[in-house]
Amino acid sequence: MTRASLDKQPHEVASMFDGVAANYDLTNDVLSLGQARLWRKEVAKAVGARPAQKVLDLAAGTATSSLPFAATGAYVVPCDFSLGMLREGKKRNPWLPLTAGDATKLPFKDDVFDTVTISFGLRNVQDTDAALRELYRVTKPGGQVVICEFSQPTWAPFRTVYMEYLMRALPPVARAVSSNPDAYVYLAESIREWPDQPALAALLQKAGWSKVAWRDLSGGIVALHRGTKK
C-alpha cells in the first residue's frame, strides 16, 4: 500500500514536524486529554524491555517515548526522520543515541533488534508496506514488533463523536497550544484516513509478521498491534 501522506511529500512532512518539535509533547498531552501518557505506559508494558536487549524506537520524535525502555537497562535507539525533533531530543537527553532514519530505508543491519516499536508515526510514512518490511528486516528471529497507532473507536456512537472532535475541536485547541496548528489539522485528517484494526493486522501479516494481534485502548481511539518474527 503506497500512501501519498495526504498529498504531502516526505520532506514536507519532516519539515512540518520540525516546526512543532519544541512543544510537541505538551501539545499531545493537551489534545489527547492526558491519555497520551497512559498510552505510552501501555506501549512500555507491551515491549517489556529488559537489560541488554536492543530496542528500536522508530518515529521517536524527541525521544520521550524511548525513556521507559532505557530505564529498564535496555539499549534503545530512538530513530526519526525529523531532524528538528532529533535536535530537540538531543537537548533533553544527550546520552541517548538519537539517529536520523527513513522508515522505508532504515540505517541498520539485518536481525539487530529484539523489539522494534513505533508509536503514532506509521501513518505518516508514505509507504506503509515498505516500513513494515523494514521493521521485519532489522528484527532478530523470535523478536517482536509493537505498534501503537490511532485507530477506529469500536462503538459507533462514540466513533461519530470522536471524529467530530478531531475535525472541529482539534484545530482551535491546536491553535492555542501549538506553534504550528496547521500540522495538527493534517494529523487529524491522517487519522481519519488510516486503516482500522483488522486492516492494519492484515498489513503486518503481509509483511511477514506472525502471531499478529491487537488490543484496543481508550475504546479503540488507539490500538496496540503486536507481531513476531519467525
Side-chain angles (χ1 to χ4, degrees), residues 104-129:
T104 64
K105 297 177 182 178
L106 292 171
F108 308 108
K109 295 181 179 179
D110 297 354
D111 306 331
V112 172
F113 297 98
D114 297 284
T115 297
V116 293
T117 182
I118 180 170
S119 294
F120 308 111
L122 188 58
R123 73 183 188 285
N124 297 316
V125 177
Q126 192 171 36
D127 191 335
T128 307
D129 288 338

mmCIF file with all atom_site columns, all heavy atoms in Angstrom, residues 104-129:
data_model
loop_
_atom_site.group_PDB
_atom_site.id
_atom_site.type_symbol
_atom_site.label_atom_id
_atom_site.label_alt_id
_atom_site.label_comp_id
_atom_site.label_asym_id
_atom_site.label_entity_id
_atom_site.label_seq_id
_atom_site.pdbx_PDB_ins_code
_atom_site.Cartn_x
_atom_site.Cartn_y
_atom_site.Cartn_z
_atom_site.occupancy
_atom_site.B_iso_or_equiv
_atom_site.pdbx_formal_charge
_atom_site.auth_seq_id
_atom_site.auth_comp_id
_atom_site.auth_asym_id
_atom_site.auth_atom_id
_atom_site.pdbx_PDB_model_num
ATOM 1   N N   . THR A 1 104 ? 11.372 3.621   5.615  1.00 0.00 ? 104 THR A N   1
ATOM 2   C CA  . THR A 1 104 ? 11.358 2.703   4.479  1.00 0.00 ? 104 THR A CA  1
ATOM 3   C C   . THR A 1 104 ? 12.762 2.262   4.056  1.00 0.00 ? 104 THR A C   1
ATOM 4   O O   . THR A 1 104 ? 12.896 1.382   3.203  1.00 0.00 ? 104 THR A O   1
ATOM 5   C CB  . THR A 1 104 ? 10.647 3.338   3.272  1.00 0.00 ? 104 THR A CB  1
ATOM 6   O OG1 . THR A 1 104 ? 11.385 4.490   2.829  1.00 0.00 ? 104 THR A OG1 1
ATOM 7   C CG2 . THR A 1 104 ? 9.233  3.761   3.642  1.00 0.00 ? 104 THR A CG2 1
ATOM 8   N N   . LYS A 1 105 ? 13.788 2.884   4.641  1.00 0.00 ? 105 LYS A N   1
ATOM 9   C CA  . LYS A 1 105 ? 15.187 2.522   4.341  1.00 0.00 ? 105 LYS A CA  1
ATOM 10  C C   . LYS A 1 105 ? 16.015 2.716   5.612  1.00 0.00 ? 105 LYS A C   1
ATOM 11  O O   . LYS A 1 105 ? 16.825 3.634   5.708  1.00 0.00 ? 105 LYS A O   1
ATOM 12  C CB  . LYS A 1 105 ? 15.743 3.382   3.210  1.00 0.00 ? 105 LYS A CB  1
ATOM 13  C CG  . LYS A 1 105 ? 15.029 3.213   1.871  1.00 0.00 ? 105 LYS A CG  1
ATOM 14  C CD  . LYS A 1 105 ? 15.596 4.162   0.834  1.00 0.00 ? 105 LYS A CD  1
ATOM 15  C CE  . LYS A 1 105 ? 14.850 4.029   -0.488 1.00 0.00 ? 105 LYS A CE  1
ATOM 16  N NZ  . LYS A 1 105 ? 15.368 4.987   -1.511 1.00 0.00 ? 105 LYS A NZ  1
ATOM 17  N N   . LEU A 1 106 ? 15.803 1.853   6.579  1.00 0.00 ? 106 LEU A N   1
ATOM 18  C CA  . LEU A 1 106 ? 16.430 2.027   7.876  1.00 0.00 ? 106 LEU A CA  1
ATOM 19  C C   . LEU A 1 106 ? 17.942 1.831   7.812  1.00 0.00 ? 106 LEU A C   1
ATOM 20  O O   . LEU A 1 106 ? 18.432 0.932   7.117  1.00 0.00 ? 106 LEU A O   1
ATOM 21  C CB  . LEU A 1 106 ? 15.826 1.035   8.879  1.00 0.00 ? 106 LEU A CB  1
ATOM 22  C CG  . LEU A 1 106 ? 14.365 1.292   9.266  1.00 0.00 ? 106 LEU A CG  1
ATOM 23  C CD1 . LEU A 1 106 ? 13.823 0.132   10.081 1.00 0.00 ? 106 LEU A CD1 1
ATOM 24  C CD2 . LEU A 1 106 ? 14.231 2.601   10.034 1.00 0.00 ? 106 LEU A CD2 1
ATOM 25  N N   . PRO A 1 107 ? 18.699 2.655   8.554  1.00 0.00 ? 107 PRO A N   1
ATOM 26  C CA  . PRO A 1 107 ? 20.163 2.589   8.514  1.00 0.00 ? 107 PRO A CA  1
ATOM 27  C C   . PRO A 1 107 ? 20.735 1.555   9.477  1.00 0.00 ? 107 PRO A C   1
ATOM 28  O O   . PRO A 1 107 ? 21.682 1.827   10.221 1.00 0.00 ? 107 PRO A O   1
ATOM 29  C CB  . PRO A 1 107 ? 20.568 4.007   8.925  1.00 0.00 ? 107 PRO A CB  1
ATOM 30  C CG  . PRO A 1 107 ? 19.507 4.419   9.888  1.00 0.00 ? 107 PRO A CG  1
ATOM 31  C CD  . PRO A 1 107 ? 18.229 3.804   9.356  1.00 0.00 ? 107 PRO A CD  1
ATOM 32  N N   . PHE A 1 108 ? 20.169 0.353   9.471  1.00 0.00 ? 108 PHE A N   1
ATOM 33  C CA  . PHE A 1 108 ? 20.610 -0.705  10.377 1.00 0.00 ? 108 PHE A CA  1
ATOM 34  C C   . PHE A 1 108 ? 20.754 -2.012  9.602  1.00 0.00 ? 108 PHE A C   1
ATOM 35  O O   . PHE A 1 108 ? 20.093 -2.231  8.585  1.00 0.00 ? 108 PHE A O   1
ATOM 36  C CB  . PHE A 1 108 ? 19.613 -0.896  11.525 1.00 0.00 ? 108 PHE A CB  1
ATOM 37  C CG  . PHE A 1 108 ? 19.263 0.365   12.255 1.00 0.00 ? 108 PHE A CG  1
ATOM 38  C CD1 . PHE A 1 108 ? 18.009 0.946   12.105 1.00 0.00 ? 108 PHE A CD1 1
ATOM 39  C CD2 . PHE A 1 108 ? 20.188 0.987   13.077 1.00 0.00 ? 108 PHE A CD2 1
ATOM 40  C CE1 . PHE A 1 108 ? 17.681 2.111   12.757 1.00 0.00 ? 108 PHE A CE1 1
ATOM 41  C CE2 . PHE A 1 108 ? 19.872 2.168   13.739 1.00 0.00 ? 108 PHE A CE2 1
ATOM 42  C CZ  . PHE A 1 108 ? 18.618 2.732   13.582 1.00 0.00 ? 108 PHE A CZ  1
ATOM 43  N N   . LYS A 1 109 ? 21.605 -2.909  10.125 1.00 0.00 ? 109 LYS A N   1
ATOM 44  C CA  . LYS A 1 109 ? 21.808 -4.210  9.502  1.00 0.00 ? 109 LYS A CA  1
ATOM 45  C C   . LYS A 1 109 ? 20.613 -5.127  9.780  1.00 0.00 ? 109 LYS A C   1
ATOM 46  O O   . LYS A 1 109 ? 19.745 -4.821  10.598 1.00 0.00 ? 109 LYS A O   1
ATOM 47  C CB  . LYS A 1 109 ? 23.095 -4.841  10.031 1.00 0.00 ? 109 LYS A CB  1
ATOM 48  C CG  . LYS A 1 109 ? 24.356 -4.081  9.648  1.00 0.00 ? 109 LYS A CG  1
ATOM 49  C CD  . LYS A 1 109 ? 25.595 -4.777  10.198 1.00 0.00 ? 109 LYS A CD  1
ATOM 50  C CE  . LYS A 1 109 ? 26.863 -4.028  9.801  1.00 0.00 ? 109 LYS A CE  1
ATOM 51  N NZ  . LYS A 1 109 ? 28.088 -4.684  10.339 1.00 0.00 ? 109 LYS A NZ  1
ATOM 52  N N   . ASP A 1 110 ? 20.589 -6.265  9.118  1.00 0.00 ? 110 ASP A N   1
ATOM 53  C CA  . ASP A 1 110 ? 19.544 -7.258  9.337  1.00 0.00 ? 110 ASP A CA  1
ATOM 54  C C   . ASP A 1 110 ? 19.662 -7.857  10.743 1.00 0.00 ? 110 ASP A C   1
ATOM 55  O O   . ASP A 1 110 ? 20.771 -7.988  11.281 1.00 0.00 ? 110 ASP A O   1
ATOM 56  C CB  . ASP A 1 110 ? 19.654 -8.403  8.323  1.00 0.00 ? 110 ASP A CB  1
ATOM 57  C CG  . ASP A 1 110 ? 19.450 -7.953  6.889  1.00 0.00 ? 110 ASP A CG  1
ATOM 58  O OD1 . ASP A 1 110 ? 19.118 -6.774  6.676  1.00 0.00 ? 110 ASP A OD1 1
ATOM 59  O OD2 . ASP A 1 110 ? 19.636 -8.790  5.984  1.00 0.00 ? 110 ASP A OD2 1
ATOM 60  N N   . ASP A 1 111 ? 18.513 -8.250  11.301 1.00 0.00 ? 111 ASP A N   1
ATOM 61  C CA  . ASP A 1 111 ? 18.466 -9.066  12.527 1.00 0.00 ? 111 ASP A CA  1
ATOM 62  C C   . ASP A 1 111 ? 19.231 -8.446  13.699 1.00 0.00 ? 111 ASP A C   1
ATOM 63  O O   . ASP A 1 111 ? 20.022 -9.124  14.375 1.00 0.00 ? 111 ASP A O   1
ATOM 64  C CB  . ASP A 1 111 ? 19.038 -10.468 12.253 1.00 0.00 ? 111 ASP A CB  1
ATOM 65  C CG  . ASP A 1 111 ? 18.376 -11.160 11.078 1.00 0.00 ? 111 ASP A CG  1
ATOM 66  O OD1 . ASP A 1 111 ? 17.194 -10.877 10.812 1.00 0.00 ? 111 ASP A OD1 1
ATOM 67  O OD2 . ASP A 1 111 ? 19.033 -11.976 10.422 1.00 0.00 ? 111 ASP A OD2 1
ATOM 68  N N   . VAL A 1 112 ? 18.986 -7.170  13.975 1.00 0.00 ? 112 VAL A N   1
ATOM 69  C CA  . VAL A 1 112 ? 19.726 -6.451  15.019 1.00 0.00 ? 112 VAL A CA  1
ATOM 70  C C   . VAL A 1 112 ? 18.947 -6.338  16.323 1.00 0.00 ? 112 VAL A C   1
ATOM 71  O O   . VAL A 1 112 ? 19.496 -6.531  17.409 1.00 0.00 ? 112 VAL A O   1
ATOM 72  C CB  . VAL A 1 112 ? 20.107 -5.038  14.530 1.00 0.00 ? 112 VAL A CB  1
ATOM 73  C CG1 . VAL A 1 112 ? 20.712 -4.213  15.665 1.00 0.00 ? 112 VAL A CG1 1
ATOM 74  C CG2 . VAL A 1 112 ? 21.077 -5.121  13.362 1.00 0.00 ? 112 VAL A CG2 1
ATOM 75  N N   . PHE A 1 113 ? 17.640 -6.047  16.242 1.00 0.00 ? 113 PHE A N   1
ATOM 76  C CA  . PHE A 1 113 ? 16.873 -5.642  17.424 1.00 0.00 ? 113 PHE A CA  1
ATOM 77  C C   . PHE A 1 113 ? 15.984 -6.762  17.962 1.00 0.00 ? 113 PHE A C   1
ATOM 78  O O   . PHE A 1 113 ? 15.404 -7.540  17.215 1.00 0.00 ? 113 PHE A O   1
ATOM 79  C CB  . PHE A 1 113 ? 16.009 -4.422  17.094 1.00 0.00 ? 113 PHE A CB  1
ATOM 80  C CG  . PHE A 1 113 ? 16.809 -3.203  16.725 1.00 0.00 ? 113 PHE A CG  1
ATOM 81  C CD1 . PHE A 1 113 ? 17.027 -2.871  15.397 1.00 0.00 ? 113 PHE A CD1 1
ATOM 82  C CD2 . PHE A 1 113 ? 17.363 -2.401  17.715 1.00 0.00 ? 113 PHE A CD2 1
ATOM 83  C CE1 . PHE A 1 113 ? 17.769 -1.753  15.057 1.00 0.00 ? 113 PHE A CE1 1
ATOM 84  C CE2 . PHE A 1 113 ? 18.108 -1.287  17.386 1.00 0.00 ? 113 PHE A CE2 1
ATOM 85  C CZ  . PHE A 1 113 ? 18.315 -0.953  16.053 1.00 0.00 ? 113 PHE A CZ  1
ATOM 86  N N   . ASP A 1 114 ? 15.887 -6.799  19.293 1.00 0.00 ? 114 ASP A N   1
ATOM 87  C CA  . ASP A 1 114 ? 14.967 -7.735  19.940 1.00 0.00 ? 114 ASP A CA  1
ATOM 88  C C   . ASP A 1 114 ? 13.520 -7.266  19.781 1.00 0.00 ? 114 ASP A C   1
ATOM 89  O O   . ASP A 1 114 ? 12.611 -8.088  19.656 1.00 0.00 ? 114 ASP A O   1
ATOM 90  C CB  . ASP A 1 114 ? 15.304 -7.858  21.431 1.00 0.00 ? 114 ASP A CB  1
ATOM 91  C CG  . ASP A 1 114 ? 16.679 -8.428  21.658 1.00 0.00 ? 114 ASP A CG  1
ATOM 92  O OD1 . ASP A 1 114 ? 16.837 -9.650  21.498 1.00 0.00 ? 114 ASP A OD1 1
ATOM 93  O OD2 . ASP A 1 114 ? 17.608 -7.654  21.983 1.00 0.00 ? 114 ASP A OD2 1
ATOM 94  N N   . THR A 1 115 ? 13.324 -5.957  19.834 1.00 0.00 ? 115 THR A N   1
ATOM 95  C CA  . THR A 1 115 ? 11.990 -5.363  19.667 1.00 0.00 ? 115 THR A CA  1
ATOM 96  C C   . THR A 1 115 ? 12.106 -4.117  18.804 1.00 0.00 ? 115 THR A C   1
ATOM 97  O O   . THR A 1 115 ? 13.024 -3.315  18.980 1.00 0.00 ? 115 THR A O   1
ATOM 98  C CB  . THR A 1 115 ? 11.379 -4.983  21.020 1.00 0.00 ? 115 THR A CB  1
ATOM 99  O OG1 . THR A 1 115 ? 11.182 -6.159  21.819 1.00 0.00 ? 115 THR A OG1 1
ATOM 100 C CG2 . THR A 1 115 ? 10.021 -4.305  20.834 1.00 0.00 ? 115 THR A CG2 1
ATOM 101 N N   . VAL A 1 116 ? 11.167 -3.974  17.889 1.00 0.00 ? 116 VAL A N   1
ATOM 102 C CA  . VAL A 1 116 ? 11.026 -2.726  17.146 1.00 0.00 ? 116 VAL A CA  1
ATOM 103 C C   . VAL A 1 116 ? 9.649  -2.170  17.470 1.00 0.00 ? 116 VAL A C   1
ATOM 104 O O   . VAL A 1 116 ? 8.670  -2.914  17.560 1.00 0.00 ? 116 VAL A O   1
ATOM 105 C CB  . VAL A 1 116 ? 11.189 -2.922  15.629 1.00 0.00 ? 116 VAL A CB  1
ATOM 106 C CG1 . VAL A 1 116 ? 12.611 -3.315  15.292 1.00 0.00 ? 116 VAL A CG1 1
ATOM 107 C CG2 . VAL A 1 116 ? 10.219 -3.957  15.091 1.00 0.00 ? 116 VAL A CG2 1
ATOM 108 N N   . THR A 1 117 ? 9.581  -0.877  17.702 1.00 0.00 ? 117 THR A N   1
ATOM 109 C CA  . THR A 1 117 ? 8.309  -0.282  18.085 1.00 0.00 ? 117 THR A CA  1
ATOM 110 C C   . THR A 1 117 ? 8.167  1.090   17.440 1.00 0.00 ? 117 THR A C   1
ATOM 111 O O   . THR A 1 117 ? 9.158  1.784   17.193 1.00 0.00 ? 117 THR A O   1
ATOM 112 C CB  . THR A 1 117 ? 8.188  -0.180  19.625 1.00 0.00 ? 117 THR A CB  1
ATOM 113 O OG1 . THR A 1 117 ? 6.905  0.355   19.968 1.00 0.00 ? 117 THR A OG1 1
ATOM 114 C CG2 . THR A 1 117 ? 9.276  0.709   20.219 1.00 0.00 ? 117 THR A CG2 1
ATOM 115 N N   . ILE A 1 118 ? 6.944  1.444   17.142 1.00 0.00 ? 118 ILE A N   1
ATOM 116 C CA  . ILE A 1 118 ? 6.645  2.757   16.576 1.00 0.00 ? 118 ILE A CA  1
ATOM 117 C C   . ILE A 1 118 ? 5.296  3.215   17.114 1.00 0.00 ? 118 ILE A C   1
ATOM 118 O O   . ILE A 1 118 ? 4.321  2.464   17.080 1.00 0.00 ? 118 ILE A O   1
ATOM 119 C CB  . ILE A 1 118 ? 6.658  2.723   15.030 1.00 0.00 ? 118 ILE A CB  1
ATOM 120 C CG1 . ILE A 1 118 ? 6.335  4.104   14.448 1.00 0.00 ? 118 ILE A CG1 1
ATOM 121 C CG2 . ILE A 1 118 ? 5.737  1.652   14.481 1.00 0.00 ? 118 ILE A CG2 1
ATOM 122 C CD1 . ILE A 1 118 ? 6.564  4.199   12.938 1.00 0.00 ? 118 ILE A CD1 1
ATOM 123 N N   . SER A 1 119 ? 5.262  4.423   17.657 1.00 0.00 ? 119 SER A N   1
ATOM 124 C CA  . SER A 1 119 ? 4.029  4.955   18.235 1.00 0.00 ? 119 SER A CA  1
ATOM 125 C C   . SER A 1 119 ? 3.625  6.234   17.504 1.00 0.00 ? 119 SER A C   1
ATOM 126 O O   . SER A 1 119 ? 4.394  7.196   17.452 1.00 0.00 ? 119 SER A O   1
ATOM 127 C CB  . SER A 1 119 ? 4.226  5.261   19.732 1.00 0.00 ? 119 SER A CB  1
ATOM 128 O OG  . SER A 1 119 ? 4.453  4.071   20.463 1.00 0.00 ? 119 SER A OG  1
ATOM 129 N N   . PHE A 1 120 ? 2.436  6.215   16.947 1.00 0.00 ? 120 PHE A N   1
ATOM 130 C CA  . PHE A 1 120 ? 1.842  7.386   16.305 1.00 0.00 ? 120 PHE A CA  1
ATOM 131 C C   . PHE A 1 120 ? 2.714  7.959   15.190 1.00 0.00 ? 120 PHE A C   1
ATOM 132 O O   . PHE A 1 120 ? 2.763  9.162   14.991 1.00 0.00 ? 120 PHE A O   1
ATOM 133 C CB  . PHE A 1 120 ? 1.538  8.470   17.352 1.00 0.00 ? 120 PHE A CB  1
ATOM 134 C CG  . PHE A 1 120 ? 0.743  7.948   18.508 1.00 0.00 ? 120 PHE A CG  1
ATOM 135 C CD1 . PHE A 1 120 ? 1.304  7.837   19.771 1.00 0.00 ? 120 PHE A CD1 1
ATOM 136 C CD2 . PHE A 1 120 ? -0.554 7.517   18.335 1.00 0.00 ? 120 PHE A CD2 1
ATOM 137 C CE1 . PHE A 1 120 ? 0.585  7.324   20.840 1.00 0.00 ? 120 PHE A CE1 1
ATOM 138 C CE2 . PHE A 1 120 ? -1.290 6.998   19.394 1.00 0.00 ? 120 PHE A CE2 1
ATOM 139 C CZ  . PHE A 1 120 ? -0.724 6.905   20.646 1.00 0.00 ? 120 PHE A CZ  1
ATOM 140 N N   . GLY A 1 121 ? 3.398  7.064   14.483 1.00 0.00 ? 121 GLY A N   1
ATOM 141 C CA  . GLY A 1 121 ? 4.242  7.525   13.390 1.00 0.00 ? 121 GLY A CA  1
ATOM 142 C C   . GLY A 1 121 ? 4.045  6.755   12.100 1.00 0.00 ? 121 GLY A C   1
ATOM 143 O O   . GLY A 1 121 ? 4.363  7.255   11.024 1.00 0.00 ? 121 GLY A O   1
ATOM 144 N N   . LEU A 1 122 ? 3.504  5.546   12.186 1.00 0.00 ? 122 LEU A N   1
ATOM 145 C CA  . LEU A 1 122 ? 3.398  4.712   10.999 1.00 0.00 ? 122 LEU A CA  1
ATOM 146 C C   . LEU A 1 122 ? 2.490  5.341   9.947  1.00 0.00 ? 122 LEU A C   1
ATOM 147 O O   . LEU A 1 122 ? 2.751  5.244   8.745  1.00 0.00 ? 122 LEU A O   1
ATOM 148 C CB  . LEU A 1 122 ? 2.884  3.320   11.381 1.00 0.00 ? 122 LEU A CB  1
ATOM 149 C CG  . LEU A 1 122 ? 2.907  2.260   10.274 1.00 0.00 ? 122 LEU A CG  1
ATOM 150 C CD1 . LEU A 1 122 ? 4.315  2.051   9.733  1.00 0.00 ? 122 LEU A CD1 1
ATOM 151 C CD2 . LEU A 1 122 ? 2.335  0.944   10.772 1.00 0.00 ? 122 LEU A CD2 1
ATOM 152 N N   . ARG A 1 123 ? 1.438  6.012   10.376 1.00 0.00 ? 123 ARG A N   1
ATOM 153 C CA  . ARG A 1 123 ? 0.510  6.591   9.400  1.00 0.00 ? 123 ARG A CA  1
ATOM 154 C C   . ARG A 1 123 ? 1.107  7.778   8.652  1.00 0.00 ? 123 ARG A C   1
ATOM 155 O O   . ARG A 1 123 ? 0.551  8.233   7.649  1.00 0.00 ? 123 ARG A O   1
ATOM 156 C CB  . ARG A 1 123 ? -0.807 6.990   10.072 1.00 0.00 ? 123 ARG A CB  1
ATOM 157 C CG  . ARG A 1 123 ? -0.710 8.208   10.929 1.00 0.00 ? 123 ARG A CG  1
ATOM 158 C CD  . ARG A 1 123 ? -2.019 8.540   11.652 1.00 0.00 ? 123 ARG A CD  1
ATOM 159 N NE  . ARG A 1 123 ? -1.913 9.829   12.298 1.00 0.00 ? 123 ARG A NE  1
ATOM 160 C CZ  . ARG A 1 123 ? -1.230 10.074  13.410 1.00 0.00 ? 123 ARG A CZ  1
ATOM 161 N NH1 . ARG A 1 123 ? -0.596 9.099   14.014 1.00 0.00 ? 123 ARG A NH1 1
ATOM 162 N NH2 . ARG A 1 123 ? -1.173 11.282  13.914 1.00 0.00 ? 123 ARG A NH2 1
ATOM 163 N N   . ASN A 1 124 ? 2.240  8.299   9.144  1.00 0.00 ? 124 ASN A N   1
ATOM 164 C CA  . ASN A 1 124 ? 2.903  9.411   8.464  1.00 0.00 ? 124 ASN A CA  1
ATOM 165 C C   . ASN A 1 124 ? 3.984  8.950   7.490  1.00 0.00 ? 124 ASN A C   1
ATOM 166 O O   . ASN A 1 124 ? 4.638  9.777   6.859  1.00 0.00 ? 124 ASN A O   1
ATOM 167 C CB  . ASN A 1 124 ? 3.532  10.353  9.502  1.00 0.00 ? 124 ASN A CB  1
ATOM 168 C CG  . ASN A 1 124 ? 2.485  10.987  10.391 1.00 0.00 ? 124 ASN A CG  1
ATOM 169 O OD1 . ASN A 1 124 ? 1.441  11.433  9.923  1.00 0.00 ? 124 ASN A OD1 1
ATOM 170 N ND2 . ASN A 1 124 ? 2.747  11.003  11.690 1.00 0.00 ? 124 ASN A ND2 1
ATOM 171 N N   . VAL A 1 125 ? 4.169  7.628   7.384  1.00 0.00 ? 125 VAL A N   1
ATOM 172 C CA  . VAL A 1 125 ? 5.137  7.078   6.436  1.00 0.00 ? 125 VAL A CA  1
ATOM 173 C C   . VAL A 1 125 ? 4.444  6.916   5.087  1.00 0.00 ? 125 VAL A C   1
ATOM 174 O O   . VAL A 1 125 ? 3.320  6.418   5.012  1.00 0.00 ? 125 VAL A O   1
ATOM 175 C CB  . VAL A 1 125 ? 5.663  5.707   6.927  1.00 0.00 ? 125 VAL A CB  1
ATOM 176 C CG1 . VAL A 1 125 ? 6.616  5.102   5.906  1.00 0.00 ? 125 VAL A CG1 1
ATOM 177 C CG2 . VAL A 1 125 ? 6.344  5.859   8.278  1.00 0.00 ? 125 VAL A CG2 1
ATOM 178 N N   . GLN A 1 126 ? 5.112  7.326   4.027  1.00 0.00 ? 126 GLN A N   1
ATOM 179 C CA  . GLN A 1 126 ? 4.476  7.317   2.716  1.00 0.00 ? 126 GLN A CA  1
ATOM 180 C C   . GLN A 1 126 ? 4.158  5.911   2.230  1.00 0.00 ? 126 GLN A C   1
ATOM 181 O O   . GLN A 1 126 ? 3.121  5.689   1.608  1.00 0.00 ? 126 GLN A O   1
ATOM 182 C CB  . GLN A 1 126 ? 5.353  8.044   1.696  1.00 0.00 ? 126 GLN A CB  1
ATOM 183 C CG  . GLN A 1 126 ? 4.643  8.343   0.386  1.00 0.00 ? 126 GLN A CG  1
ATOM 184 C CD  . GLN A 1 126 ? 5.451  9.250   -0.517 1.00 0.00 ? 126 GLN A CD  1
ATOM 185 O OE1 . GLN A 1 126 ? 6.664  9.165   -0.559 1.00 0.00 ? 126 GLN A OE1 1
ATOM 186 N NE2 . GLN A 1 126 ? 4.767  10.130  -1.239 1.00 0.00 ? 126 GLN A NE2 1
ATOM 187 N N   . ASP A 1 127 ? 5.037  4.943   2.503  1.00 0.00 ? 127 ASP A N   1
ATOM 188 C CA  . ASP A 1 127 ? 4.836  3.569   2.060  1.00 0.00 ? 127 ASP A CA  1
ATOM 189 C C   . ASP A 1 127 ? 4.772  2.661   3.288  1.00 0.00 ? 127 ASP A C   1
ATOM 190 O O   . ASP A 1 127 ? 5.799  2.228   3.812  1.00 0.00 ? 127 ASP A O   1
ATOM 191 C CB  . ASP A 1 127 ? 5.978  3.151   1.126  1.00 0.00 ? 127 ASP A CB  1
ATOM 192 C CG  . ASP A 1 127 ? 5.709  1.830   0.413  1.00 0.00 ? 127 ASP A CG  1
ATOM 193 O OD1 . ASP A 1 127 ? 4.930  1.021   0.957  1.00 0.00 ? 127 ASP A OD1 1
ATOM 194 O OD2 . ASP A 1 127 ? 6.273  1.618   -0.668 1.00 0.00 ? 127 ASP A OD2 1
ATOM 195 N N   . THR A 1 128 ? 3.570  2.382   3.740  1.00 0.00 ? 128 THR A N   1
ATOM 196 C CA  . THR A 1 128 ? 3.370  1.591   4.955  1.00 0.00 ? 128 THR A CA  1
ATOM 197 C C   . THR A 1 128 ? 3.937  0.186   4.811  1.00 0.00 ? 128 THR A C   1
ATOM 198 O O   . THR A 1 128 ? 4.586  -0.342  5.722  1.00 0.00 ? 128 THR A O   1
ATOM 199 C CB  . THR A 1 128 ? 1.875  1.508   5.310  1.00 0.00 ? 128 THR A CB  1
ATOM 200 O OG1 . THR A 1 128 ? 1.343  2.823   5.369  1.00 0.00 ? 128 THR A OG1 1
ATOM 201 C CG2 . THR A 1 128 ? 1.662  0.811   6.637  1.00 0.00 ? 128 THR A CG2 1
ATOM 202 N N   . ASP A 1 129 ? 3.694  -0.443  3.666  1.00 0.00 ? 129 ASP A N   1
ATOM 203 C CA  . ASP A 1 129 ? 4.178  -1.804  3.446  1.00 0.00 ? 129 ASP A CA  1
ATOM 204 C C   . ASP A 1 129 ? 5.700  -1.867  3.539  1.00 0.00 ? 129 ASP A C   1
ATOM 205 O O   . ASP A 1 129 ? 6.266  -2.777  4.157  1.00 0.00 ? 129 ASP A O   1
ATOM 206 C CB  . ASP A 1 129 ? 3.733  -2.307  2.069  1.00 0.00 ? 129 ASP A CB  1
ATOM 207 C CG  . ASP A 1 129 ? 2.250  -2.613  2.012  1.00 0.00 ? 129 ASP A CG  1
ATOM 208 O OD1 . ASP A 1 129 ? 1.668  -2.838  3.088  1.00 0.00 ? 129 ASP A OD1 1
ATOM 209 O OD2 . ASP A 1 129 ? 1.673  -2.619  0.918  1.00 0.00 ? 129 ASP A OD2 1
#
